[in-house]
Amino acid sequence: MADSPAQFRGQARLPRFAAPLRYDLRIRPDLAACNFSGAAAVAVAVSAPTRFLVLNAAELDVDRASIRFQDLAPTDVTQFEEDEILVIGFDRELPVGEGVLTMDFTGTLNDQMRGFYRSKYVCNGESRNMAVTQFEAADARRCFPCWDDPAFKAKFKLTLEVPSDLVALSNMPVVKETVSGPIKTVYYEESPLMSTYLVAIVVGLFDYIESSTSEGTKVRVYTQVGKTNQGKFALDVAVKSLDLYKDYFATPYPLPKLDMIAIPDFAAGAMENYGLVTYRETALLYDELLSSASNKQQVAITVAHELAHQWFGNLVTMEWWTHLWLNEGFASWVSYLAVDSLFPEWNNWTQFLDETTSGLRLDALAESHPIEVEINHASEIDAIFDSISYDKGASVIRMLQSYLGAERFQKALASYIKKYAYSNAKTEDLWAVLEKESGEPVKDLMTTWTKQQGYPVIYAKLNGHDLELEQAQFLSDGSSGTGMWIVPITSCCGSYDAQKKFLLKDKTDKIHIKEFTAFQSSDGDKNIWIKLNIDQTGFYRVKYDDELAAGLVNAIKAKKLSLMDKIGIVEDSYALSVARKQTLTSLLRLLNAYHDESDYTVLSHVTSVCLSISKISVDATPDLNKDIKQLLINLLQPAAIKLGWDPKDGESHLDVMLRSLLLIALVRLGHNETINEGVRRFHIFLEDHKTSLLPPDTRKAAYLAVMRTVSTSNRSGYDALLKIYREAAEPQEKSRVLGSLSSSPDKDIVLEALNFMFTDEVRNQDSYYILGGISLEGREVAWTWLKTNWDHVLKTWKSSSLISDFINYIVSPFTSEEKAAEVSEFFACRIKPSFQRALNQSLERVRISARWIESIRSEPSLGQAVQELLQGTA
Ligand code: BES
Ligand code: ZN
């Protein structure tokens, strides 16, 4: 085996004795036959004598007879499908130095939304295919043989042969086009050094609009023919973001042009291909009349995220997928910076706590993983595009920035970008630059957060004039892990002017109250409140003793706390309650303190906690469920009544978001008045789609209201929604309908909605809308449906991370040990690496709920507390 092609099998990474310098690629897609042919000439640097060239190829037919290295023909060509490698053997050693490897190949334009694939659209009433690439993480190898590893950066020179009437786009601008009958040949400029996963091709019929940055970089948005007005908002955000990043990273946008394009079939939300960013339609297109405020935010954040990658990811690239978070965590964090500067009225940094929240929730599972994770096979990469890499990643960056200070942090980032431009970096490389620029122990501090899974909860207790702190790993199952962190503690006492910051390095530490700078105990120690983790910049939770907790409740009621701190308190309290570290009773009492809150950002967390409580109480306390729901309705209703259903002239973006949020929550809590009003407005809307009674922002609430009233014997609402779906041209409207269809309490209707997913009326990319909407009443029927259809689901969605959604959405709502065992048994012989983690996490959530239920049932004073609170809020 020592000198055979098989010696290269089973390795995570390609051998480094030969590396590509430049790819000259000629590719000819056939959009009707759904296949393509290509020819590659790759300049390769051989750095050590070898008889083999080893590169990646998958689902490609490489023509063995065409392969040459210089003028040498190989004696042995082996393609190992499972390893996705192509081993080219020669009868003698290749000399050290540069040579050109040439080969011809063919492949399929698949329907799996990865590699080189086809997407369907309709133009002038005619159904057509477009050809699109999606290479991240490891699918460039499905389009051409290559060293498909982010560290093998090379230059790319593409030539495409396409039907003359189509638009053909790639990373770089066109240098030349020649037409020969029905086929045109398009030549593109050679790219700078870049990784394979960022190469892109799109071929189809499109229109575009154009603008340019202050530096003169041309920026275009391509849309389907006749739809360019929907690209205007994204174009504007793009141009402004590019200007902003150029200043922030102190480096100009590296390419001569930037194109952005909406693709009708798209597995992710968007993809940052260098100079040719691809998007799901809902993440790029915005229509003044047809999109909601939340659609608008989504577009802005997505554009800002993908453009941040042009520096963080594309110019400086992670050395290996272990460091994926450097790409995704940073792009997520920076996107908030850009959007905050473009739309200050959105209060974007407070909304950032949505990211922190999902990071904290996922990372409280034993089945979580460290930010830096070992990758041994390409098939493991997709699964780490998760809340840990994105949300925890972005949150620990915010934590570090807040510790180092914004200015120092930015300066260090700019020098990191300069140092590693056109090259690759590891997590340690970033820490080294930050450490050098700041003089702070960045590496020691941050390693505890990136190499170790989980995070701490800080127990805070007042002992005389000492605030005693103790850290322990927080886990939602109530156990304590063994992790230890260096925790940037921030705290304030009685006012935001009286602060104390330090690094908690040991298990315990304490602060003397007098240490709070500018501390005055004017209103007597009785009314003192102490808040740790000011503005939730730290990635940890806090458990206060009863006295401190009571102080904070008073501070909330007295409106002394920032929006972020109010969010932090309710989120921590909820998590501690799930982990059985505090009672549901005390959580309900705390929620009561948010009774007259009117801010969207705070209420979005409050409603999410309310909905979780309402769900768990269905199984935990069926007798009390109605009263608990009423209590939660009473809590949310004042703000909802103030806003009503109708938009008001000049109201803020966040109030528009809040209206939608509250109406949806009230419908989900079963509030009859809201449901009836939603149904009333829906009927008017059915007659007149232009009615001002149901603008896009409140439409989802009305759709959900209608579905609450639908049953097999009264299905007209369901059919009406299907009709809206079929007639809607806008993907955002379609997604609103899909997200409602499965939310009926009627099991047969839920089943019908699930089966609708399998028809060709629903794109495979959109399955998660239906899955995400399944009613609690429908969870059993959904599980049976999943078991029955598992083979089909696996076959259709296997190659994307969408497969995990089926498991997450269908398994997680269960709340019993028996169910966990049943699910686990079903998958025992069906497990695959691509959804193993999703399954383990879902099962863990089920078991956590089961334990939470047991503990809720043994809370002696819950019933009485609910009655008391009900009387207080009625
Ligand atoms: N690089 C990702 C796209 C991606 C995701 C490729 C998963 C391969 C697998 C892109 O930059 C991204 O993060 N997109 C996000 C949108 C963003 C606003 C968080 C997405 O697709 O959801
Ligand atoms: Zn990204």
Side-chain angles (χ1 to χ4, degrees):
M1 165 144 149
D3 199 31
S4 82
Q7 69 183 292
F8 301 108
R9 300 197 58 185
Q11 250 124 70
R13 304 191 68 172
L14 297 171
R16 307 198 61 98
F17 48 67
L21 301 168
R22 200 174 328 102
Y23 291 83
D24 206 324
L25 295 170
R26 177 179 280 260
I27 294 175
R28 181 178 179 130
D30 182 333
L31 276 58
C34 289
N35 56 34
F36 61 93
S37 58
V42 192
V44 178
V46 178
S47 56
T50 170
R51 221 165 57 70
F52 297 99
L53 290 176
V54 186
L55 54 158
N56 293 110
E59 292 165 12
L60 281 181
D61 246 322
V62 182
D63 174 14
R64 279 144 212 245
S66 73
I67 303 179
R68 293 287 180 280
F69 183 71
Q70 300 296 69
D71 48 9
L72 204 60
T75 46
D76 178 21
V77 179
T78 320
Q79 204 162 338
F80 295 105
E81 277 297 339
E82 202 181 304
D83 303 85
E84 304 185 342
I85 55 171
L86 175 71
V87 181
I88 306 173
F90 300 88
D91 65 355
R92 67 182 101 128
E93 280 192 350
L94 306 177
V96 168
E98 198 179 318
V100 176
L101 172 70
T102 53
M103 58 205 144
D104 299 338
F105 51 90
T106 57
T108 316
L109 283 181
N110 69 65
D111 60 356
Q112 301 283 315
M113 297 183 280
R114 68 162 176 179
F116 203 11
Y117 72 95
R118 66 187 132 104
S119 173
K120 292 205 156 112
Y121 63 111
V122 175
C123 191
N124 294 328
E126 198 188 322
S127 173
R128 288 175 157 265
N129 288 334
M130 62 175 85
V132 189
T133 54
Q134 167 61 43
F135 289 169
E136 192 176 23
D139 294 320
R141 62 190 69 174
R142 278 162 227 282
C143 182
F144 53 91
C146 57
W147 280 257
D148 198 9
D149 174 321
F152 282 110
K153 284 198 176 185
K155 295 178 174 176
F156 289 85
K157 192 168 184 315
L158 267 80
T159 306
L160 299 178
E161 294 173 17
V162 300
S164 315
D165 58 328
L166 300 186
V167 176
L169 302 171
S170 185
N171 308 83
M172 298 297 288
V174 173
V175 269
K176 191 174 78 174
E177 245 184 59
T178 58
V179 180
S180 155
I183 296 290
K184 68 177 172 188
T185 305
V186 188
Y187 302 82
Y188 299 87
E189 270 177 42
E190 182 173 287
S191 79
L193 284 174
M194 61 185 276
S195 303
T196 46
Y197 79 91
L198 293 166
V199 174
I201 298 169
V202 178
V203 183
L205 271 177
F206 306 102
D207 281 348
Y208 68 84
I209 45 172
E210 182 178 274
S211 177
S212 58
T213 66
S214 63
E215 303 263 284
T217 307
K218 275 207 175 114
V219 183
R220 288 181 178 176
V221 174
Y222 284 83
T223 67
Q224 292 201 25
V225 174
K227 296 267 172 83
T228 54
N229 66 320
Q230 296 183 352
K232 283 185 183 152
F233 177 66
L235 182 62
D236 187 48
V237 172
V239 167
K240 290 178 177 153
S241 304
L242 288 180
D243 281 336
L244 186 137
Y245 292 144
K246 175 201 72 183
D247 292 339
Y248 190 79
F249 295 122
T251 303
Y253 172 70
L255 298 186
K257 63 96 177 169
L258 171 73
D259 294 329
M260 312 203 293
I261 186 163
I263 307 294
D265 299 276
F266 200 82
M271 175 64 210
E272 70 267 25
N273 313 298
Y274 222 172
L276 174 54
V277 181
T278 45
Y279 295 82
R280 215 175 240 258
E281 293 182 324
T282 49
L284 184 70
L285 306 178
Y286 173 77
D287 188 303
E288 283 289 341
L289 294 175
L290 303 165
S291 305
S292 64
S294 124
N295 292 143
K296 188 174 190 175
Q297 272 195 197
Q298 191 56 44
V299 170
I301 281 283
T302 311
V303 170
H305 175 108
E306 303 312 331
L307 299 197
H309 276 312
Q310 306 300 308
W311 285 260
F312 235 101
N314 301 9
L315 183 60
V316 178
T317 311
M318 72 232 142
E319 198 274 336
W320 178 239
W321 299 104
T322 298
H323 308 283
L324 173 70
W325 84 281
L326 275 184
N327 265 14
E328 298 304 349
F330 256 91
S332 296
W333 177 80
V334 178
S335 72
Y336 279 79
L337 195 102
V339 173
D340 185 55
S341 132
L342 300 185
F343 305 98
E345 69 282 12
W346 292 2
N347 212 350
N348 209 43
W349 279 115
T350 309
Q351 295 201 49
F352 180 85
L353 294 188
D354 295 359
E355 315 266 323
T356 307
T357 298
S358 39
L360 288 168
R361 288 192 183 180
L362 181 56
D363 210 22
L365 299 183
E367 293 288 346
S368 179
H369 62 85
I371 282 184
E372 294 182 62
V373 47
E374 203 179 307
I375 296 291
N376 292 310
H377 189 274
S379 63
E380 297 166 15
I381 307 170
D382 272 349
I384 58 166
F385 283 84
D386 64 359
S387 208
I388 298 301
S389 304
Y390 281 75
D391 304 325
K392 184 181 183 182
S395 301
V396 300
I397 289 159
R398 176 167 177 254
M399 176 165 75
L400 180 61
Q401 187 220 23
S402 135
Y403 176 72
L404 295 177
E407 230 167 279
R408 275 206 289 188
F409 190 70
Q410 174 182 1
K411 256 189 75 204
L413 279 190
S415 56
Y416 166 82
I417 294 282
K418 281 221 168 60
K419 180 163 181 194
Y420 292 100
Y422 302 107
S423 173
N424 298 82
K426 296 185 173 146
T427 305
E428 290 97 283
D429 297 326
L430 176 63
W431 300 155
V433 175
L434 282 158
E435 190 153 320
K436 188 162 160 257
E437 298 273 337
S438 71
E440 296 279 345
V442 175
K443 183 165 178 225
D444 286 350
L445 166 65
M446 292 309 287
T447 301
T448 66
W449 297 94
T450 61
K451 287 203 195 272
Q452 183 175 227
Q453 91 178 44
Y455 59 86
V457 52
I458 309 293
Y459 290 88
K461 172 159 102 208
L462 209 47
N463 188 357
H465 280 89
D466 280 336
L467 177 65
E468 296 180 348
L469 305 179
E470 175 172 351
Q471 64 162 305
Q473 180 169 4
F474 179 77
L475 286 161
S476 287
D477 67 7
S479 66
S480 285
T482 54
M484 281 277 286
W485 287 262
I486 299 181
V487 189
I489 297 280
T490 55
S491 55
C492 60
C493 180
S495 127
Y496 284 98
D497 295 329
Q499 297 201 1
K500 165 85 182 154
K501 302 182 182 192
F502 68 103
L503 290 181
L504 173 67
K505 293 183 174 153
D506 302 317
K507 178 107 184 123
T508 61
D509 209 335
K510 59 182 167 202
I511 310 174
H512 196 271
I513 292 273
K514 296 262 157 46
E515 288 180 58
F516 284 97
T517 47
F519 170 70
Q520 298 159 336
S521 89
S522 55
D523 36 347
D525 287 7
K526 222 170 74 243
N527 285 325
I528 273 304
W529 54 270
I530 292 178
K531 171 73 177 57
L532 274 85
N533 198 8
I534 301 172
D535 282 345
Q536 304 303 114
T537 52
F539 195 74
Y540 55 89
R541 299 196 185 278
V542 182
K543 165 93 176 82
Y544 299 93
D545 70 9
D546 290 347
E547 188 183 354
L548 290 168
L552 283 171
V553 169
N554 289 335
I556 293 169
K557 287 187 185 151
K559 305 202 183 311
K560 300 264 178 164
L561 297 187
S562 71
L563 299 174
M564 292 188 192
D565 283 330
K566 284 191 268 188
I567 292 170
I569 291 168
V570 75
E571 283 292 343
D572 284 359
S573 184
Y574 167 68
L576 288 160
S577 180
V578 174
R580 297 167 290 137
K581 303 284 179 202
Q582 69 167 62
T583 56
L584 177 60
T585 311
S586 66
L587 176 59
L588 288 173
R589 289 194 195 281
L590 171 73
L591 280 173
N592 198 40
Y594 291 78
H595 193 244
D596 49 21
E597 180 59 57
S598 60
D599 183 87
Y600 165 75
T601 58
V602 176
L603 283 172
S604 78
H605 291 266
V606 170
T607 50
S608 130
V609 168
C610 287
L611 291 170
S612 302
I613 294 175
S614 146
K615 273 189 219 148
I616 202 76
S617 87
V618 168
D619 296 331
T621 56
D623 303 343
L624 274 183
N625 181 245
K626 217 167 143 251
D627 288 344
I628 288 182
K629 278 191 176 147
Q630 189 57 49
L631 178 61
L632 301 172
I633 288 168
N634 293 353
L635 184 64
L636 300 178
Q637 224 189 344
I641 289 175
K642 240 184 261 164
L643 290 165
W645 279 78
D646 296 312
K648 301 191 176 53
D649 278 348
E651 67 187 337
S652 71
H653 169 86
L654 290 180
D655 275 350
V656 178
M657 300 275 288
L658 180 59
R659 172 177 299 116
S660 158
L661 173 86
L662 291 173
L663 291 175
I664 288 175
L666 288 171
V667 168
R668 293 210 155 116
L669 289 169
H671 183 235
N672 283 329
E673 263 169 62
T674 308
I675 293 176
N676 293 341
E677 181 60 10
V679 171
R680 186 182 78 84
R681 288 178 185 246
F682 179 75
H683 285 297
I684 298 168
F685 174 71
L686 278 185
E687 300 297 311
D688 168 18
H689 276 26
K690 292 210 163 62
T691 177
S692 62
L693 287 178
L694 208 53
D697 290 293
T698 43
R699 222 172 272 161
K700 178 81 183 273
Y703 293 174
L704 290 170
V706 168
M707 286 309 303
R708 290 310 299 174
T709 66
V710 159
S711 66
T712 348
S713 53
N714 173 26
R715 51 173 297 134
S716 63
Y718 181 83
D719 293 327
L721 274 169
L722 268 189
K723 185 159 176 283
I724 292 173
Y725 177 82
R726 289 179 173 136
E727 287 170 2
E730 275 59 43
Q732 287 161 346
E733 176 68 8
K734 279 184 183 288
S735 76
R736 278 192 280 273
V737 178
L738 287 182
S740 315
L741 286 180
S742 55
S743 67
S744 162
D746 184 296
K747 298 178 178 68
D748 293 321
I749 296 286
V750 173
L751 188 60
E752 198 172 327
L754 289 170
N755 283 327
F756 183 58
M757 189 194 304
F758 290 158
T759 67
D760 56 13
E761 291 188 78
V762 180
R763 294 180 191 265
N764 290 345
Q765 64 163 9
D766 290 333
S767 53
Y768 68 78
Y769 293 117
I770 297 184
L771 295 168
I774 300 172
S775 62
L776 202 61
E777 297 90 338
R779 64 189 155 171
E780 198 58 63
V781 87
W783 167 234
T784 307
W785 171 88
L786 184 67
K787 285 190 287 187
T788 315
N789 294 291
W790 179 250
D791 291 343
H792 175 69
V793 167
L794 187 66
K795 195 169 121 242
T796 313
W797 283 274
K798 66 169 180 305
S799 54
S800 74
S801 54
L802 294 168
I803 189 81
S804 296
D805 294 336
F806 283 83
I807 294 172
N808 274 334
Y809 283 122
I810 292 183
V811 175
S812 301
F814 287 111
T815 59
S816 72
E817 288 285 350
E818 298 76 53
K819 204 56 164 192
E822 182 191 328
V823 172
S824 177
E825 192 189 312
F826 175 78
F827 282 109
C829 55
R830 294 177 174 85
I831 201 69
K832 297 255 184 319
S834 57
F835 58 85
Q836 172 92 56
R837 211 192 297 275
L839 178 65
N840 293 353
Q841 289 170 348
S842 302
L843 289 172
E844 190 181 349
R845 288 194 187 98
V846 175
R847 297 192 166 113
I848 287 164
S849 296
R851 276 178 235 175
W852 190 24
I853 285 176
E854 245 176 72
S855 111
I856 291 172
R857 286 185 184 151
S858 66
E859 275 182 40
S861 54
L862 179 62
Q864 200 196 328
V866 170
Q867 297 314 322
E868 255 172 53
L869 288 166
L870 259 182
Q871 277 160 21
T873 56

